[in-house]
Coordinates of all heavy atoms in Angstrom, one line a residue:
H1 N -3.3 -25.2 -3.1 CA -2.5 -25.5 -4.3 C -1.9 -24.2 -4.8 O -2.5 -23.4 -5.5 CB -3.4 -26.1 -5.4 CG -4.2 -27.3 -4.9 ND1 -3.6 -28.5 -4.7 CD2 -5.5 -27.4 -4.6 CE1 -4.5 -29.3 -4.2 NE2 -5.7 -28.7 -4.2
D2 N -0.6 -24.0 -4.5 CA 0.1 -22.7 -4.7 C 0.1 -22.3 -6.2 O -0.1 -21.1 -6.5 CB 1.5 -22.8 -4.2 CG 1.5 -22.8 -2.7 OD1 0.5 -22.7 -2.1 OD2 2.6 -22.9 -2.2
L3 N 0.3 -23.3 -7.1 CA 0.4 -22.9 -8.5 C -0.9 -22.3 -9.1 O -0.9 -21.5 -9.9 CB 0.8 -24.1 -9.3 CG 2.3 -24.6 -9.1 CD1 2.5 -25.8 -10.0 CD2 3.3 -23.5 -9.4
I4 N -2.0 -22.8 -8.5 CA -3.4 -22.4 -8.9 C -3.5 -20.9 -8.6 O -4.0 -20.1 -9.3 CB -4.5 -23.2 -8.3 CG1 -4.4 -24.6 -8.8 CG2 -5.9 -22.6 -8.6 CD1 -5.4 -25.5 -8.2
F5 N -3.0 -20.5 -7.5 CA -3.1 -19.1 -6.9 C -1.9 -18.2 -7.3 O -1.8 -17.1 -6.7 CB -3.3 -19.1 -5.4 CG -4.7 -19.7 -5.0 CD1 -4.8 -21.0 -4.7 CD2 -5.7 -18.8 -4.9 CE1 -6.1 -21.5 -4.4 CE2 -7.0 -19.3 -4.5 CZ -7.2 -20.6 -4.2
K6 N -1.0 -18.7 -8.1 CA 0.2 -17.9 -8.4 C -0.1 -16.6 -9.0 O 0.5 -15.6 -8.5 CB 1.1 -18.8 -9.3 CG 2.5 -18.2 -9.5 CD 3.2 -18.1 -8.2 CE 3.5 -19.4 -7.5 NZ 4.3 -19.2 -6.3
E7 N -0.9 -16.5 -10.0 CA -1.3 -15.2 -10.6 C -2.0 -14.3 -9.6 O -1.7 -13.1 -9.6 CB -2.2 -15.5 -11.8 CG -1.4 -16.0 -13.1 CD -2.3 -15.9 -14.3 OE1 -2.9 -14.8 -14.5 OE2 -2.4 -16.8 -15.0
S8 N -2.8 -14.9 -8.8 CA -3.5 -14.1 -7.8 C -2.6 -13.6 -6.8 O -2.7 -12.4 -6.4 CB -4.6 -15.0 -7.1 OG -5.3 -14.3 -6.1
D9 N -1.6 -14.4 -6.3 CA -0.6 -13.9 -5.3 C 0.2 -12.8 -5.9 O 0.5 -11.8 -5.2 CB 0.3 -15.1 -4.9 CG -0.4 -16.1 -4.1 OD1 -1.5 -15.8 -3.6 OD2 0.0 -17.3 -3.9
H10 N 0.7 -13.0 -7.2 CA 1.5 -11.9 -7.8 C 0.6 -10.6 -7.9 O 1.2 -9.5 -7.7 CB 1.9 -12.3 -9.2 CG 3.0 -13.4 -9.1 ND1 3.3 -14.2 -10.2 CD2 3.8 -13.8 -8.1 CE1 4.3 -15.0 -9.9 NE2 4.6 -14.8 -8.6
F11 N -0.6 -10.7 -8.3 CA -1.5 -9.5 -8.4 C -1.6 -8.9 -7.0 O -1.5 -7.6 -7.0 CB -2.9 -10.0 -8.9 CG -3.9 -8.9 -9.0 CD1 -3.9 -8.0 -9.9 CD2 -4.9 -8.8 -7.9 CE1 -4.8 -6.9 -10.0 CE2 -5.8 -7.8 -8.0 CZ -5.8 -6.8 -9.0
I12 N -1.8 -9.6 -6.0 CA -2.0 -9.1 -4.6 C -0.7 -8.4 -4.2 O -0.8 -7.3 -3.7 CB -2.4 -10.2 -3.6 CG1 -3.8 -10.7 -3.9 CG2 -2.3 -9.7 -2.2 CD1 -4.2 -11.9 -3.2
E13 N 0.5 -9.0 -4.5 CA 1.7 -8.4 -4.1 C 2.0 -7.1 -4.8 O 2.3 -6.1 -4.2 CB 2.9 -9.3 -4.4 CG 2.9 -10.6 -3.5 CD 4.0 -11.6 -4.0 OE1 4.7 -11.3 -4.9 OE2 4.0 -12.7 -3.4
N14 N 1.7 -7.1 -6.1 CA 1.9 -5.8 -6.9 C 0.9 -4.8 -6.5 O 1.3 -3.6 -6.4 CB 1.8 -6.1 -8.4 CG 2.9 -7.1 -8.9 OD1 4.0 -7.1 -8.4 ND2 2.6 -7.8 -10.0
T15 N -0.3 -5.2 -6.4 CA -1.3 -4.2 -5.9 C -1.0 -3.6 -4.5 O -1.2 -2.4 -4.3 CB -2.7 -4.8 -5.9 OG1 -3.0 -5.4 -7.2 CG2 -3.8 -3.8 -5.6
S16 N -0.6 -4.5 -3.6 CA -0.2 -4.0 -2.3 C 0.9 -3.0 -2.3 O 0.8 -2.0 -1.6 CB 0.1 -5.2 -1.4 OG -0.9 -6.2 -1.3
S17 N 1.9 -3.3 -3.1 CA 3.1 -2.3 -3.2 C 2.6 -1.0 -3.7 O 3.0 0.1 -3.1 CB 4.1 -2.9 -4.2 OG 4.6 -4.1 -3.7
I18 N 1.7 -1.0 -4.7 CA 1.2 0.3 -5.3 C 0.4 1.0 -4.3 O 0.5 2.2 -4.0 CB 0.5 0.1 -6.6 CG1 1.4 -0.5 -7.6 CG2 -0.3 1.3 -7.1 CD1 0.7 -1.0 -8.9
M19 N -0.5 0.3 -3.6 CA -1.5 0.9 -2.7 C -0.8 1.4 -1.4 O -1.1 2.4 -0.9 CB -2.6 -0.1 -2.3 CG -3.5 -0.4 -3.5 SD -4.8 -1.6 -3.1 CE -5.9 -0.4 -2.1
I20 N 0.2 0.6 -0.9 CA 1.0 1.0 0.3 C 1.7 2.3 0.0 O 1.7 3.2 0.8 CB 1.9 -0.1 0.7 CG1 1.1 -1.3 1.4 CG2 2.9 0.4 1.8 CD1 2.0 -2.5 1.7
S21 N 2.3 2.4 -1.2 CA 3.0 3.6 -1.5 C 2.1 4.8 -1.6 O 2.3 5.9 -1.2 CB 3.8 3.4 -2.9 OG 4.6 2.3 -2.8
T22 N 0.9 4.5 -2.2 CA -0.1 5.6 -2.4 C -0.6 6.0 -1.0 O -0.8 7.2 -0.7 CB -1.3 5.0 -3.2 OG1 -0.8 4.6 -4.5 CG2 -2.3 6.1 -3.4
V23 N -0.8 5.0 -0.1 CA -1.3 5.4 1.2 C -0.3 6.3 2.0 O -0.7 7.2 2.6 CB -1.6 4.0 2.0 CG1 -1.7 4.4 3.5 CG2 -2.9 3.4 1.5
F24 N 1.0 5.9 1.9 CA 2.0 6.8 2.5 C 1.9 8.2 2.0 O 2.0 9.2 2.8 CB 3.4 6.2 2.3 CG 3.8 5.2 3.5 CD1 4.1 3.9 3.2 CD2 4.0 5.7 4.7 CE1 4.5 3.0 4.2 CE2 4.4 4.9 5.7 CZ 4.6 3.5 5.5
I25 N 1.8 8.3 0.7 CA 1.7 9.7 0.1 C 0.5 10.4 0.6 O 0.6 11.6 1.0 CB 1.8 9.6 -1.4 CG1 3.1 9.0 -1.9 CG2 1.5 11.0 -2.1 CD1 3.2 8.7 -3.3
L26 N -0.7 9.8 0.6 CA -1.9 10.4 1.0 C -1.9 10.8 2.5 O -2.4 11.8 2.8 CB -3.1 9.4 0.7 CG -3.4 9.2 -0.8 CD1 -4.5 8.1 -0.9 CD2 -3.8 10.5 -1.5
I27 N -1.4 9.8 3.3 CA -1.4 10.1 4.7 C -0.5 11.3 5.0 O -0.8 12.2 5.8 CB -0.9 8.9 5.5 CG1 -2.0 7.8 5.4 CG2 -0.6 9.2 7.0 CD1 -1.6 6.5 6.0
T28 N 0.7 11.3 4.5 CA 1.7 12.4 4.8 C 1.2 13.7 4.2 O 1.4 14.8 4.8 CB 3.1 12.1 4.3 OG1 3.0 11.7 2.9 CG2 3.7 10.9 5.1
S29 N 0.5 13.7 3.1 CA 0.1 14.9 2.5 C -1.1 15.5 3.3 O -1.4 16.7 3.1 CB -0.3 14.7 1.0 OG -1.4 13.8 0.9
S30 N -1.8 14.6 4.0 CA -3.0 15.1 4.8 C -2.6 15.7 6.1 O -3.4 16.3 6.8 CB -3.9 13.9 5.0 OG -3.3 13.0 5.9
L31 N -1.3 15.6 6.5 CA -0.8 16.1 7.7 C -0.4 17.6 7.5 O 0.5 17.9 6.7 CB 0.4 15.3 8.3 CG 0.1 13.9 8.6 CD1 1.4 13.1 9.0 CD2 -1.0 13.7 9.6
T32 N -1.1 18.5 8.2 CA -0.7 19.9 8.0 C 0.5 20.3 8.9 O 0.8 19.5 9.9 CB -1.9 20.8 8.4 OG1 -2.2 20.6 9.8 CG2 -3.1 20.5 7.6
L33 N 1.2 21.3 8.6 CA 2.3 21.7 9.3 C 2.0 22.1 10.8 O 2.7 21.8 11.7 CB 3.0 22.9 8.6 CG 4.4 23.4 9.2 CD1 5.4 22.2 9.1 CD2 4.9 24.6 8.5
E34 N 0.8 22.7 11.0 CA 0.4 23.1 12.3 C 0.1 21.8 13.2 O 0.5 21.8 14.3 CB -0.9 23.9 12.2 CG -0.8 25.3 11.6 CD -0.6 25.3 10.1 OE1 -0.9 24.2 9.5 OE2 -0.1 26.2 9.6
V35 N -0.5 20.8 12.6 CA -0.7 19.6 13.4 C 0.5 18.9 13.7 O 0.8 18.4 14.8 CB -1.7 18.6 12.5 CG1 -1.8 17.3 13.3 CG2 -3.0 19.3 12.4
L36 N 1.5 18.9 12.7 CA 2.8 18.2 13.0 C 3.6 18.9 14.1 O 4.2 18.3 15.0 CB 3.6 18.2 11.7 CG 3.2 17.1 10.7 CD1 4.0 17.3 9.4 CD2 3.4 15.7 11.2
K37 N 3.6 20.3 14.1 CA 4.2 21.0 15.1 C 3.6 20.7 16.4 O 4.4 20.7 17.5 CB 4.2 22.5 14.7 CG 5.1 22.9 13.6 CD 5.0 24.5 13.4 CE 6.0 24.9 12.3 NZ 5.8 26.3 12.0
S38 N 2.3 20.7 16.5 CA 1.7 20.4 17.8 C 1.9 19.0 18.3 O 1.9 18.8 19.5 CB 0.2 20.7 17.7 OG -0.4 19.9 16.8
V39 N 2.0 18.1 17.4 CA 2.2 16.7 17.8 C 3.7 16.3 18.2 O 4.0 15.7 19.1 CB 1.7 15.7 16.7 CG1 2.1 14.3 17.0 CG2 0.2 15.8 16.6

């Protein structure tokens, strides 16, 4: 029943957008210049 889960779906979409953006920042910030040069 889509309408029952509408708020949950919106919450998941918004949380996913925030977390995905955060993950990209965390992942790229964890890569050191030396490792990137070697890879």
Side-chain angles (χ1 to χ4, degrees):
H1 306 290
D2 288 358
L3 292 178
I4 295 176
F5 288 91
K6 187 60 65 178
E7 285 194 47
S8 177
D9 291 342
H10 288 163
F11 174 78
I12 291 170
E13 289 173 6
N14 295 333
T15 306
S16 299
S17 299
I18 295 171
M19 294 183 72
I20 287 172
S21 304
T22 305
V23 165
F24 267 117
I25 295 171
L26 292 175
I27 289 174
T28 52
S29 64
S30 67
L31 300 175
T32 63
L33 187 61
E34 290 74 17
V35 172
L36 284 174
K37 285 181 178 178
S38 61
V39 169

